[in-house]
mmCIF file with all atom_site columns, all heavy atoms in Angstrom:
data_model
loop_
_atom_site.group_PDB
_atom_site.id
_atom_site.type_symbol
_atom_site.label_atom_id
_atom_site.label_alt_id
_atom_site.label_comp_id
_atom_site.label_asym_id
_atom_site.label_entity_id
_atom_site.label_seq_id
_atom_site.pdbx_PDB_ins_code
_atom_site.Cartn_x
_atom_site.Cartn_y
_atom_site.Cartn_z
_atom_site.occupancy
_atom_site.B_iso_or_equiv
_atom_site.pdbx_formal_charge
_atom_site.auth_seq_id
_atom_site.auth_comp_id
_atom_site.auth_asym_id
_atom_site.auth_atom_id
_atom_site.pdbx_PDB_model_num
ATOM 1   N N   . ALA B 1 1  ? 0.861  -1.174  0.000   1.00 0.00 ? 1257 ALA B N   1
ATOM 2   C CA  . ALA B 1 1  ? 0.010  0.002   -0.021  1.00 0.00 ? 1257 ALA B CA  1
ATOM 3   C C   . ALA B 1 1  ? 0.910  1.253   -0.004  1.00 0.00 ? 1257 ALA B C   1
ATOM 4   O O   . ALA B 1 1  ? 1.534  1.550   1.040   1.00 0.00 ? 1257 ALA B O   1
ATOM 5   C CB  . ALA B 1 1  ? -0.919 -0.034  1.219   1.00 0.00 ? 1257 ALA B CB  1
ATOM 6   N N   . ILE B 1 2  ? 0.978  1.924   -1.086  1.00 0.00 ? 1258 ILE B N   1
ATOM 7   C CA  . ILE B 1 2  ? 2.026  2.862   -1.397  1.00 0.00 ? 1258 ILE B CA  1
ATOM 8   C C   . ILE B 1 2  ? 1.977  4.156   -0.558  1.00 0.00 ? 1258 ILE B C   1
ATOM 9   O O   . ILE B 1 2  ? 3.085  4.652   -0.132  1.00 0.00 ? 1258 ILE B O   1
ATOM 10  C CB  . ILE B 1 2  ? 2.067  3.170   -2.913  1.00 0.00 ? 1258 ILE B CB  1
ATOM 11  C CG1 . ILE B 1 2  ? 2.196  1.838   -3.737  1.00 0.00 ? 1258 ILE B CG1 1
ATOM 12  C CG2 . ILE B 1 2  ? 3.190  4.132   -3.242  1.00 0.00 ? 1258 ILE B CG2 1
ATOM 13  C CD1 . ILE B 1 2  ? 3.478  1.090   -3.453  1.00 0.00 ? 1258 ILE B CD1 1
ATOM 14  N N   . THR B 1 3  ? 0.790  4.749   -0.386  1.00 0.00 ? 1259 THR B N   1
ATOM 15  C CA  . THR B 1 3  ? 0.794  6.078   0.292   1.00 0.00 ? 1259 THR B CA  1
ATOM 16  C C   . THR B 1 3  ? -0.440 6.271   1.160   1.00 0.00 ? 1259 THR B C   1
ATOM 17  O O   . THR B 1 3  ? -0.270 6.860   2.246   1.00 0.00 ? 1259 THR B O   1
ATOM 18  C CB  . THR B 1 3  ? 0.908  7.241   -0.747  1.00 0.00 ? 1259 THR B CB  1
ATOM 19  O OG1 . THR B 1 3  ? 1.061  8.475   -0.056  1.00 0.00 ? 1259 THR B OG1 1
ATOM 20  C CG2 . THR B 1 3  ? -0.278 7.288   -1.650  1.00 0.00 ? 1259 THR B CG2 1
ATOM 21  N N   . GLY B 1 4  ? -1.597 5.786   0.818   1.00 0.00 ? 1260 GLY B N   1
ATOM 22  C CA  . GLY B 1 4  ? -2.781 5.898   1.736   1.00 0.00 ? 1260 GLY B CA  1
ATOM 23  C C   . GLY B 1 4  ? -3.225 7.320   1.952   1.00 0.00 ? 1260 GLY B C   1
ATOM 24  O O   . GLY B 1 4  ? -2.869 8.224   1.216   1.00 0.00 ? 1260 GLY B O   1
ATOM 25  N N   . ALA B 1 5  ? -4.017 7.494   3.021   1.00 0.00 ? 1261 ALA B N   1
ATOM 26  C CA  . ALA B 1 5  ? -4.586 8.751   3.361   1.00 0.00 ? 1261 ALA B CA  1
ATOM 27  C C   . ALA B 1 5  ? -4.444 9.083   4.861   1.00 0.00 ? 1261 ALA B C   1
ATOM 28  O O   . ALA B 1 5  ? -4.924 10.084  5.301   1.00 0.00 ? 1261 ALA B O   1
ATOM 29  C CB  . ALA B 1 5  ? -6.059 8.785   2.986   1.00 0.00 ? 1261 ALA B CB  1
ATOM 30  N N   . ILE B 1 6  ? -3.742 8.236   5.584   1.00 0.00 ? 1262 ILE B N   1
ATOM 31  C CA  . ILE B 1 6  ? -3.605 8.400   7.008   1.00 0.00 ? 1262 ILE B CA  1
ATOM 32  C C   . ILE B 1 6  ? -2.404 9.306   7.381   1.00 0.00 ? 1262 ILE B C   1
ATOM 33  O O   . ILE B 1 6  ? -2.494 10.247  8.070   1.00 0.00 ? 1262 ILE B O   1
ATOM 34  C CB  . ILE B 1 6  ? -3.475 7.056   7.769   1.00 0.00 ? 1262 ILE B CB  1
ATOM 35  C CG1 . ILE B 1 6  ? -4.771 6.274   7.617   1.00 0.00 ? 1262 ILE B CG1 1
ATOM 36  C CG2 . ILE B 1 6  ? -3.110 7.200   9.194   1.00 0.00 ? 1262 ILE B CG2 1
ATOM 37  C CD1 . ILE B 1 6  ? -4.695 4.867   8.188   1.00 0.00 ? 1262 ILE B CD1 1
ATOM 38  N N   . HIS B 1 7  ? -1.229 8.925   6.874   1.00 0.00 ? 1263 HIS B N   1
ATOM 39  C CA  . HIS B 1 7  ? -0.020 9.632   7.215   1.00 0.00 ? 1263 HIS B CA  1
ATOM 40  C C   . HIS B 1 7  ? 0.060  10.960  6.479   1.00 0.00 ? 1263 HIS B C   1
ATOM 41  O O   . HIS B 1 7  ? -0.402 11.046  5.332   1.00 0.00 ? 1263 HIS B O   1
ATOM 42  C CB  . HIS B 1 7  ? 1.178  8.757   6.926   1.00 0.00 ? 1263 HIS B CB  1
ATOM 43  C CG  . HIS B 1 7  ? 1.278  7.563   7.743   1.00 0.00 ? 1263 HIS B CG  1
ATOM 44  N ND1 . HIS B 1 7  ? 1.321  6.278   7.229   1.00 0.00 ? 1263 HIS B ND1 1
ATOM 45  C CD2 . HIS B 1 7  ? 1.324  7.416   9.093   1.00 0.00 ? 1263 HIS B CD2 1
ATOM 46  C CE1 . HIS B 1 7  ? 1.406  5.375   8.224   1.00 0.00 ? 1263 HIS B CE1 1
ATOM 47  N NE2 . HIS B 1 7  ? 1.356  6.034   9.317   1.00 0.00 ? 1263 HIS B NE2 1
ATOM 48  N N   . THR B 1 8  ? 0.602  11.954  7.125   1.00 0.00 ? 1264 THR B N   1
ATOM 49  C CA  . THR B 1 8  ? 0.729  13.275  6.482   1.00 0.00 ? 1264 THR B CA  1
ATOM 50  C C   . THR B 1 8  ? 2.212  13.571  6.162   1.00 0.00 ? 1264 THR B C   1
ATOM 51  O O   . THR B 1 8  ? 3.074  12.909  6.694   1.00 0.00 ? 1264 THR B O   1
ATOM 52  C CB  . THR B 1 8  ? 0.183  14.380  7.445   1.00 0.00 ? 1264 THR B CB  1
ATOM 53  O OG1 . THR B 1 8  ? 1.059  14.499  8.590   1.00 0.00 ? 1264 THR B OG1 1
ATOM 54  C CG2 . THR B 1 8  ? -1.228 14.023  7.917   1.00 0.00 ? 1264 THR B CG2 1
ATOM 55  N N   . PRO B 1 9  ? 2.457  14.542  5.252   1.00 0.00 ? 1265 PRO B N   1
ATOM 56  C CA  . PRO B 1 9  ? 3.842  14.723  4.804   1.00 0.00 ? 1265 PRO B CA  1
ATOM 57  C C   . PRO B 1 9  ? 4.852  15.017  5.863   1.00 0.00 ? 1265 PRO B C   1
ATOM 58  O O   . PRO B 1 9  ? 6.008  14.671  5.743   1.00 0.00 ? 1265 PRO B O   1
ATOM 59  C CB  . PRO B 1 9  ? 3.653  15.951  3.843   1.00 0.00 ? 1265 PRO B CB  1
ATOM 60  C CG  . PRO B 1 9  ? 2.236  15.805  3.352   1.00 0.00 ? 1265 PRO B CG  1
ATOM 61  C CD  . PRO B 1 9  ? 1.453  15.295  4.512   1.00 0.00 ? 1265 PRO B CD  1
ATOM 62  N N   . THR B 1 10 ? 4.398  15.666  6.975   1.00 0.00 ? 1266 THR B N   1
ATOM 63  C CA  . THR B 1 10 ? 5.364  15.962  8.072   1.00 0.00 ? 1266 THR B CA  1
ATOM 64  C C   . THR B 1 10 ? 5.914  14.705  8.705   1.00 0.00 ? 1266 THR B C   1
ATOM 65  O O   . THR B 1 10 ? 7.039  14.702  9.202   1.00 0.00 ? 1266 THR B O   1
ATOM 66  C CB  . THR B 1 10 ? 4.650  16.805  9.143   1.00 0.00 ? 1266 THR B CB  1
ATOM 67  O OG1 . THR B 1 10 ? 4.276  18.084  8.536   1.00 0.00 ? 1266 THR B OG1 1
ATOM 68  C CG2 . THR B 1 10 ? 5.482  17.032  10.321  1.00 0.00 ? 1266 THR B CG2 1
ATOM 69  N N   . MET B 1 11 ? 5.182  13.625  8.656   1.00 0.00 ? 1267 MET B N   1
ATOM 70  C CA  . MET B 1 11 ? 5.529  12.414  9.401   1.00 0.00 ? 1267 MET B CA  1
ATOM 71  C C   . MET B 1 11 ? 6.714  11.708  8.810   1.00 0.00 ? 1267 MET B C   1
ATOM 72  O O   . MET B 1 11 ? 7.436  10.985  9.508   1.00 0.00 ? 1267 MET B O   1
ATOM 73  C CB  . MET B 1 11 ? 4.332  11.479  9.483   1.00 0.00 ? 1267 MET B CB  1
ATOM 74  C CG  . MET B 1 11 ? 3.179  12.010  10.254  1.00 0.00 ? 1267 MET B CG  1
ATOM 75  S SD  . MET B 1 11 ? 1.763  10.885  10.252  1.00 0.00 ? 1267 MET B SD  1
ATOM 76  C CE  . MET B 1 11 ? 0.538  11.870  11.182  1.00 0.00 ? 1267 MET B CE  1
ATOM 77  N N   . SER B 1 12 ? 6.939  11.866  7.492   1.00 0.00 ? 1268 SER B N   1
ATOM 78  C CA  . SER B 1 12 ? 8.070  11.200  6.856   1.00 0.00 ? 1268 SER B CA  1
ATOM 79  C C   . SER B 1 12 ? 8.440  11.904  5.548   1.00 0.00 ? 1268 SER B C   1
ATOM 80  O O   . SER B 1 12 ? 7.556  12.118  4.732   1.00 0.00 ? 1268 SER B O   1
ATOM 81  C CB  . SER B 1 12 ? 7.825  9.721   6.585   1.00 0.00 ? 1268 SER B CB  1
ATOM 82  O OG  . SER B 1 12 ? 8.836  9.160   5.808   1.00 0.00 ? 1268 SER B OG  1
ATOM 83  N N   . PRO B 1 13 ? 9.711  12.211  5.332   1.00 0.00 ? 1269 PRO B N   1
ATOM 84  C CA  . PRO B 1 13 ? 10.112 12.796  4.091   1.00 0.00 ? 1269 PRO B CA  1
ATOM 85  C C   . PRO B 1 13 ? 10.052 11.793  2.906   1.00 0.00 ? 1269 PRO B C   1
ATOM 86  O O   . PRO B 1 13 ? 10.144 12.203  1.745   1.00 0.00 ? 1269 PRO B O   1
ATOM 87  C CB  . PRO B 1 13 ? 11.551 13.266  4.342   1.00 0.00 ? 1269 PRO B CB  1
ATOM 88  C CG  . PRO B 1 13 ? 12.021 12.299  5.377   1.00 0.00 ? 1269 PRO B CG  1
ATOM 89  C CD  . PRO B 1 13 ? 10.857 12.034  6.267   1.00 0.00 ? 1269 PRO B CD  1
ATOM 90  N N   . TYR B 1 14 ? 9.773  10.540  3.264   1.00 0.00 ? 1270 TYR B N   1
ATOM 91  C CA  . TYR B 1 14 ? 9.842  9.452   2.241   1.00 0.00 ? 1270 TYR B CA  1
ATOM 92  C C   . TYR B 1 14 ? 8.424  9.101   1.733   1.00 0.00 ? 1270 TYR B C   1
ATOM 93  O O   . TYR B 1 14 ? 8.255  8.279   0.907   1.00 0.00 ? 1270 TYR B O   1
ATOM 94  C CB  . TYR B 1 14 ? 10.545 8.228   2.752   1.00 0.00 ? 1270 TYR B CB  1
ATOM 95  C CG  . TYR B 1 14 ? 11.902 8.512   3.307   1.00 0.00 ? 1270 TYR B CG  1
ATOM 96  C CD1 . TYR B 1 14 ? 12.152 8.431   4.696   1.00 0.00 ? 1270 TYR B CD1 1
ATOM 97  C CD2 . TYR B 1 14 ? 12.943 8.900   2.466   1.00 0.00 ? 1270 TYR B CD2 1
ATOM 98  C CE1 . TYR B 1 14 ? 13.423 8.728   5.177   1.00 0.00 ? 1270 TYR B CE1 1
ATOM 99  C CE2 . TYR B 1 14 ? 14.169 9.166   2.946   1.00 0.00 ? 1270 TYR B CE2 1
ATOM 100 C CZ  . TYR B 1 14 ? 14.396 9.087   4.296   1.00 0.00 ? 1270 TYR B CZ  1
ATOM 101 O OH  . TYR B 1 14 ? 15.698 9.333   4.790   1.00 0.00 ? 1270 TYR B OH  1
ATOM 102 N N   . LEU B 1 15 ? 7.397  9.756   2.327   1.00 0.00 ? 1271 LEU B N   1
ATOM 103 C CA  . LEU B 1 15 ? 5.990  9.471   1.966   1.00 0.00 ? 1271 LEU B CA  1
ATOM 104 C C   . LEU B 1 15 ? 5.766  9.981   0.499   1.00 0.00 ? 1271 LEU B C   1
ATOM 105 O O   . LEU B 1 15 ? 5.893  11.182  0.261   1.00 0.00 ? 1271 LEU B O   1
ATOM 106 C CB  . LEU B 1 15 ? 5.011  10.168  2.926   1.00 0.00 ? 1271 LEU B CB  1
ATOM 107 C CG  . LEU B 1 15 ? 3.567  9.820   2.735   1.00 0.00 ? 1271 LEU B CG  1
ATOM 108 C CD1 . LEU B 1 15 ? 3.216  8.394   3.096   1.00 0.00 ? 1271 LEU B CD1 1
ATOM 109 C CD2 . LEU B 1 15 ? 2.679  10.798  3.552   1.00 0.00 ? 1271 LEU B CD2 1
ATOM 110 N N   . PRO B 1 16 ? 5.409  9.107   -0.391  1.00 0.00 ? 1272 PRO B N   1
ATOM 111 C CA  . PRO B 1 16 ? 5.172  9.595   -1.801  1.00 0.00 ? 1272 PRO B CA  1
ATOM 112 C C   . PRO B 1 16 ? 3.940  10.433  -1.894  1.00 0.00 ? 1272 PRO B C   1
ATOM 113 O O   . PRO B 1 16 ? 2.888  10.039  -1.409  1.00 0.00 ? 1272 PRO B O   1
ATOM 114 C CB  . PRO B 1 16 ? 5.087  8.296   -2.608  1.00 0.00 ? 1272 PRO B CB  1
ATOM 115 C CG  . PRO B 1 16 ? 4.730  7.214   -1.602  1.00 0.00 ? 1272 PRO B CG  1
ATOM 116 C CD  . PRO B 1 16 ? 5.265  7.661   -0.279  1.00 0.00 ? 1272 PRO B CD  1
ATOM 117 N N   . ILE B 1 17 ? 4.036  11.528  -2.660  1.00 0.00 ? 1273 ILE B N   1
ATOM 118 C CA  . ILE B 1 17 ? 2.973  12.462  -2.763  1.00 0.00 ? 1273 ILE B CA  1
ATOM 119 C C   . ILE B 1 17 ? 2.637  12.748  -4.229  1.00 0.00 ? 1273 ILE B C   1
ATOM 120 O O   . ILE B 1 17 ? 1.462  12.725  -4.637  1.00 0.00 ? 1273 ILE B O   1
ATOM 121 C CB  . ILE B 1 17 ? 3.299  13.792  -2.009  1.00 0.00 ? 1273 ILE B CB  1
ATOM 122 C CG1 . ILE B 1 17 ? 3.348  13.551  -0.525  1.00 0.00 ? 1273 ILE B CG1 1
ATOM 123 C CG2 . ILE B 1 17 ? 2.341  14.890  -2.392  1.00 0.00 ? 1273 ILE B CG2 1
ATOM 124 C CD1 . ILE B 1 17 ? 3.861  14.723  0.322   1.00 0.00 ? 1273 ILE B CD1 1
ATOM 125 N N   . THR B 1 18 ? 3.624  13.068  -5.025  1.00 0.00 ? 1274 THR B N   1
ATOM 126 C CA  . THR B 1 18 ? 3.417  13.473  -6.388  1.00 0.00 ? 1274 THR B CA  1
ATOM 127 C C   . THR B 1 18 ? 3.151  12.179  -7.275  1.00 0.00 ? 1274 THR B C   1
ATOM 128 O O   . THR B 1 18 ? 3.478  11.082  -6.872  1.00 0.00 ? 1274 THR B O   1
ATOM 129 C CB  . THR B 1 18 ? 4.618  14.194  -7.011  1.00 0.00 ? 1274 THR B CB  1
ATOM 130 O OG1 . THR B 1 18 ? 5.708  13.249  -7.106  1.00 0.00 ? 1274 THR B OG1 1
ATOM 131 C CG2 . THR B 1 18 ? 5.033  15.318  -6.131  1.00 0.00 ? 1274 THR B CG2 1
ATOM 132 N N   . PRO B 1 19 ? 2.517  12.377  -8.420  1.00 0.00 ? 1275 PRO B N   1
ATOM 133 C CA  . PRO B 1 19 ? 2.306  11.205  -9.324  1.00 0.00 ? 1275 PRO B CA  1
ATOM 134 C C   . PRO B 1 19 ? 3.633  10.466  -9.644  1.00 0.00 ? 1275 PRO B C   1
ATOM 135 O O   . PRO B 1 19 ? 3.662  9.256   -9.695  1.00 0.00 ? 1275 PRO B O   1
ATOM 136 C CB  . PRO B 1 19 ? 1.715  11.806  -10.563 1.00 0.00 ? 1275 PRO B CB  1
ATOM 137 C CG  . PRO B 1 19 ? 1.006  13.044  -10.081 1.00 0.00 ? 1275 PRO B CG  1
ATOM 138 C CD  . PRO B 1 19 ? 1.871  13.564  -8.992  1.00 0.00 ? 1275 PRO B CD  1
ATOM 139 N N   . ASP B 1 20 ? 4.675  11.180  -9.867  1.00 0.00 ? 1276 ASP B N   1
ATOM 140 C CA  . ASP B 1 20 ? 5.986  10.536  -10.147 1.00 0.00 ? 1276 ASP B CA  1
ATOM 141 C C   . ASP B 1 20 ? 6.452  9.720   -8.979  1.00 0.00 ? 1276 ASP B C   1
ATOM 142 O O   . ASP B 1 20 ? 6.935  8.609   -9.147  1.00 0.00 ? 1276 ASP B O   1
ATOM 143 C CB  . ASP B 1 20 ? 7.031  11.573  -10.556 1.00 0.00 ? 1276 ASP B CB  1
ATOM 144 C CG  . ASP B 1 20 ? 6.896  12.080  -11.999 1.00 0.00 ? 1276 ASP B CG  1
ATOM 145 O OD1 . ASP B 1 20 ? 6.138  11.479  -12.749 1.00 0.00 ? 1276 ASP B OD1 1
ATOM 146 O OD2 . ASP B 1 20 ? 7.599  13.082  -12.357 1.00 0.00 ? 1276 ASP B OD2 1
ATOM 147 N N   . GLU B 1 21 ? 6.318  10.299  -7.790  1.00 0.00 ? 1277 GLU B N   1
ATOM 148 C CA  . GLU B 1 21 ? 6.792  9.580   -6.601  1.00 0.00 ? 1277 GLU B CA  1
ATOM 149 C C   . GLU B 1 21 ? 5.942  8.328   -6.390  1.00 0.00 ? 1277 GLU B C   1
ATOM 150 O O   . GLU B 1 21 ? 6.483  7.251   -6.036  1.00 0.00 ? 1277 GLU B O   1
ATOM 151 C CB  . GLU B 1 21 ? 6.718  10.493  -5.374  1.00 0.00 ? 1277 GLU B CB  1
ATOM 152 C CG  . GLU B 1 21 ? 7.723  11.579  -5.337  1.00 0.00 ? 1277 GLU B CG  1
ATOM 153 C CD  . GLU B 1 21 ? 7.479  12.703  -4.258  1.00 0.00 ? 1277 GLU B CD  1
ATOM 154 O OE1 . GLU B 1 21 ? 6.367  12.648  -3.678  1.00 0.00 ? 1277 GLU B OE1 1
ATOM 155 O OE2 . GLU B 1 21 ? 8.348  13.465  -4.022  1.00 0.00 ? 1277 GLU B OE2 1
ATOM 156 N N   . ILE B 1 22 ? 4.626  8.446   -6.534  1.00 0.00 ? 1278 ILE B N   1
ATOM 157 C CA  . ILE B 1 22 ? 3.762  7.241   -6.342  1.00 0.00 ? 1278 ILE B CA  1
ATOM 158 C C   . ILE B 1 22 ? 4.088  6.178   -7.387  1.00 0.00 ? 1278 ILE B C   1
ATOM 159 O O   . ILE B 1 22 ? 4.199  4.981   -7.029  1.00 0.00 ? 1278 ILE B O   1
ATOM 160 C CB  . ILE B 1 22 ? 2.296  7.701   -6.391  1.00 0.00 ? 1278 ILE B CB  1
ATOM 161 C CG1 . ILE B 1 22 ? 1.957  8.551   -5.200  1.00 0.00 ? 1278 ILE B CG1 1
ATOM 162 C CG2 . ILE B 1 22 ? 1.345  6.494   -6.520  1.00 0.00 ? 1278 ILE B CG2 1
ATOM 163 C CD1 . ILE B 1 22 ? 0.586  9.275   -5.274  1.00 0.00 ? 1278 ILE B CD1 1
ATOM 164 N N   . ALA B 1 23 ? 4.261  6.588   -8.597  1.00 0.00 ? 1279 ALA B N   1
ATOM 165 C CA  . ALA B 1 23 ? 4.580  5.595   -9.682  1.00 0.00 ? 1279 ALA B CA  1
ATOM 166 C C   . ALA B 1 23 ? 5.945  4.965   -9.403  1.00 0.00 ? 1279 ALA B C   1
ATOM 167 O O   . ALA B 1 23 ? 6.026  3.705   -9.514  1.00 0.00 ? 1279 ALA B O   1
ATOM 168 C CB  . ALA B 1 23 ? 4.570  6.239   -11.053 1.00 0.00 ? 1279 ALA B CB  1
ATOM 169 N N   . ASN B 1 24 ? 6.973  5.759   -9.102  1.00 0.00 ? 1280 ASN B N   1
ATOM 170 C CA  . ASN B 1 24 ? 8.259  5.147   -8.875  1.00 0.00 ? 1280 ASN B CA  1
ATOM 171 C C   . ASN B 1 24 ? 8.284  4.226   -7.671  1.00 0.00 ? 1280 ASN B C   1
ATOM 172 O O   . ASN B 1 24 ? 8.891  3.198   -7.716  1.00 0.00 ? 1280 ASN B O   1
ATOM 173 C CB  . ASN B 1 24 ? 9.272  6.309   -8.641  1.00 0.00 ? 1280 ASN B CB  1
ATOM 174 C CG  . ASN B 1 24 ? 9.570  7.080   -9.949  1.00 0.00 ? 1280 ASN B CG  1
ATOM 175 O OD1 . ASN B 1 24 ? 9.358  6.585   -11.072 1.00 0.00 ? 1280 ASN B OD1 1
ATOM 176 N ND2 . ASN B 1 24 ? 10.043 8.329   -9.805  1.00 0.00 ? 1280 ASN B ND2 1
ATOM 177 N N   . GLU B 1 25 ? 7.565  4.608   -6.618  1.00 0.00 ? 1281 GLU B N   1
ATOM 178 C CA  . GLU B 1 25 ? 7.516  3.774   -5.398  1.00 0.00 ? 1281 GLU B CA  1
ATOM 179 C C   . GLU B 1 25 ? 6.756  2.485   -5.735  1.00 0.00 ? 1281 GLU B C   1
ATOM 180 O O   . GLU B 1 25 ? 7.167  1.416   -5.245  1.00 0.00 ? 1281 GLU B O   1
ATOM 181 C CB  . GLU B 1 25 ? 6.810  4.543   -4.290  1.00 0.00 ? 1281 GLU B CB  1
ATOM 182 C CG  . GLU B 1 25 ? 7.694  5.600   -3.621  1.00 0.00 ? 1281 GLU B CG  1
ATOM 183 C CD  . GLU B 1 25 ? 8.666  4.963   -2.721  1.00 0.00 ? 1281 GLU B CD  1
ATOM 184 O OE1 . GLU B 1 25 ? 8.317  4.187   -1.778  1.00 0.00 ? 1281 GLU B OE1 1
ATOM 185 O OE2 . GLU B 1 25 ? 9.927  5.228   -2.922  1.00 0.00 ? 1281 GLU B OE2 1
ATOM 186 N N   . ALA B 1 26 ? 5.714  2.575   -6.478  1.00 0.00 ? 1282 ALA B N   1
ATOM 187 C CA  . ALA B 1 26 ? 4.944  1.379   -6.850  1.00 0.00 ? 1282 ALA B CA  1
ATOM 188 C C   . ALA B 1 26 ? 5.788  0.403   -7.657  1.00 0.00 ? 1282 ALA B C   1
ATOM 189 O O   . ALA B 1 26 ? 5.827  -0.788  -7.405  1.00 0.00 ? 1282 ALA B O   1
ATOM 190 C CB  . ALA B 1 26 ? 3.669  1.749   -7.602  1.00 0.00 ? 1282 ALA B CB  1
ATOM 191 N N   . LEU B 1 27 ? 6.486  0.962   -8.641  1.00 0.00 ? 1283 LEU B N   1
ATOM 192 C CA  . LEU B 1 27 ? 7.318  0.096   -9.500  1.00 0.00 ? 1283 LEU B CA  1
ATOM 193 C C   . LEU B 1 27 ? 8.471  -0.569  -8.690  1.00 0.00 ? 1283 LEU B C   1
ATOM 194 O O   . LEU B 1 27 ? 8.811  -1.769  -8.927  1.00 0.00 ? 1283 LEU B O   1
ATOM 195 C CB  . LEU B 1 27 ? 7.850  0.861   -10.690 1.00 0.00 ? 1283 LEU B CB  1
ATOM 196 C CG  . LEU B 1 27 ? 6.777  1.357   -11.662 1.00 0.00 ? 1283 LEU B CG  1
ATOM 197 C CD1 . LEU B 1 27 ? 7.381  2.349   -12.716 1.00 0.00 ? 1283 LEU B CD1 1
ATOM 198 C CD2 . LEU B 1 27 ? 6.075  0.226   -12.359 1.00 0.00 ? 1283 LEU B CD2 1
ATOM 199 N N   . ALA B 1 28 ? 9.079  0.194   -7.808  1.00 0.00 ? 1284 ALA B N   1
ATOM 200 C CA  . ALA B 1 28 ? 10.168 -0.379  -6.993  1.00 0.00 ? 1284 ALA B CA  1
ATOM 201 C C   . ALA B 1 28 ? 9.636  -1.451  -6.039  1.00 0.00 ? 1284 ALA B C   1
ATOM 202 O O   . ALA B 1 28 ? 10.297 -2.465  -5.819  1.00 0.00 ? 1284 ALA B O   1
ATOM 203 C CB  . ALA B 1 28 ? 10.898 0.731   -6.215  1.00 0.00 ? 1284 ALA B CB  1
ATOM 204 N N   . ALA B 1 29 ? 8.446  -1.197  -5.513  1.00 0.00 ? 1285 ALA B N   1
ATOM 205 C CA  . ALA B 1 29 ? 7.830  -2.256  -4.633  1.00 0.00 ? 1285 ALA B CA  1
ATOM 206 C C   . ALA B 1 29 ? 7.500  -3.509  -5.378  1.00 0.00 ? 1285 ALA B C   1
ATOM 207 O O   . ALA B 1 29 ? 7.729  -4.636  -4.859  1.00 0.00 ? 1285 ALA B O   1
ATOM 208 C CB  . ALA B 1 29 ? 6.523  -1.641  -4.010  1.00 0.00 ? 1285 ALA B CB  1
ATOM 209 N N   . ALA B 1 30 ? 7.059  -3.376  -6.636  1.00 0.00 ? 1286 ALA B N   1
ATOM 210 C CA  . ALA B 1 30 ? 6.767  -4.543  -7.475  1.00 0.00 ? 1286 ALA B CA  1
ATOM 211 C C   . ALA B 1 30 ? 8.062  -5.263  -7.769  1.00 0.00 ? 1286 ALA B C   1
ATOM 212 O O   . ALA B 1 30 ? 8.130  -6.533  -7.706  1.00 0.00 ? 1286 ALA B O   1
ATOM 213 C CB  . ALA B 1 30 ? 6.057  -4.165  -8.742  1.00 0.00 ? 1286 ALA B CB  1
ATOM 214 N N   . GLU B 1 31 ? 9.078  -4.581  -8.085  1.00 0.00 ? 1287 GLU B N   1
ATOM 215 C CA  . GLU B 1 31 ? 10.411 -5.185  -8.354  1.00 0.00 ? 1287 GLU B CA  1
ATOM 216 C C   . GLU B 1 31 ? 10.980 -5.932  -7.170  1.00 0.00 ? 1287 GLU B C   1
ATOM 217 O O   . GLU B 1 31 ? 11.591 -6.971  -7.269  1.00 0.00 ? 1287 GLU B O   1
ATOM 218 C CB  . GLU B 1 31 ? 11.417 -4.057  -8.763  1.00 0.00 ? 1287 GLU B CB  1
ATOM 219 C CG  . GLU B 1 31 ? 12.769 -4.566  -9.153  1.00 0.00 ? 1287 GLU B CG  1
ATOM 220 C CD  . GLU B 1 31 ? 12.797 -5.438  -10.420 1.00 0.00 ? 1287 GLU B CD  1
ATOM 221 O OE1 . GLU B 1 31 ? 11.915 -5.276  -11.273 1.00 0.00 ? 1287 GLU B OE1 1
ATOM 222 O OE2 . GLU B 1 31 ? 13.761 -6.194  -10.577 1.00 0.00 ? 1287 GLU B OE2 1
ATOM 223 N N   . ALA B 1 32 ? 10.636 -5.427  -5.930  1.00 0.00 ? 1288 ALA B N   1
ATOM 224 C CA  . ALA B 1 32 ? 11.091 -6.023  -4.687  1.00 0.00 ? 1288 ALA B CA  1
ATOM 225 C C   . ALA B 1 32 ? 10.305 -7.292  -4.363  1.00 0.00 ? 1288 ALA B C   1
ATOM 226 O O   . ALA B 1 32 ? 10.766 -8.116  -3.540  1.00 0.00 ? 1288 ALA B O   1
ATOM 227 C CB  . ALA B 1 32 ? 11.014 -5.045  -3.534  1.00 0.00 ? 1288 ALA B CB  1
ATOM 228 N N   . GLY B 1 33 ? 9.134  -7.460  -5.010  1.00 0.00 ? 1289 GLY B N   1
ATOM 229 C CA  . GLY B 1 33 ? 8.347  -8.690  -4.731  1.00 0.00 ? 1289 GLY B CA  1
ATOM 230 C C   . GLY B 1 33 ? 6.874  -8.503  -4.461  1.00 0.00 ? 1289 GLY B C   1
ATOM 231 O O   . GLY B 1 33 ? 6.203  -9.487  -4.184  1.00 0.00 ? 1289 GLY B O   1
ATOM 232 N N   . ALA B 1 34 ? 6.382  -7.306  -4.503  1.00 0.00 ? 1290 ALA B N   1
ATOM 233 C CA  . ALA B 1 34 ? 4.915  -7.079  -4.267  1.00 0.00 ? 1290 ALA B CA  1
ATOM 234 C C   . ALA B 1 34 ? 4.170  -7.543  -5.502  1.00 0.00 ? 1290 ALA B C   1
ATOM 235 O O   . ALA B 1 34 ? 4.399  -7.129  -6.599  1.00 0.00 ? 1290 ALA B O   1
ATOM 236 C CB  . ALA B 1 34 ? 4.648  -5.624  -3.967  1.00 0.00 ? 1290 ALA B CB  1
ATOM 237 N N   . ALA B 1 35 ? 3.137  -8.454  -5.226  1.00 0.00 ? 1291 ALA B N   1
ATOM 238 C CA  . ALA B 1 35 ? 2.327  -8.913  -6.389  1.00 0.00 ? 1291 ALA B CA  1
ATOM 239 C C   . ALA B 1 35 ? 1.176  -8.023  -6.648  1.00 0.00 ? 1291 ALA B C   1
ATOM 240 O O   . ALA B 1 35 ? 0.596  -8.049  -7.753  1.00 0.00 ? 1291 ALA B O   1
ATOM 241 C CB  . ALA B 1 35 ? 1.858  -10.360 -6.061  1.00 0.00 ? 1291 ALA B CB  1
#
């Protein structure tokens, strides 16, 4: 679950927000083994 709606940007600088960040994070998660 890549970003959700619970955590806010202040809580982590690594939380993906932009479309590019969400896409990149999703692809890296899939490469790591997420089905």
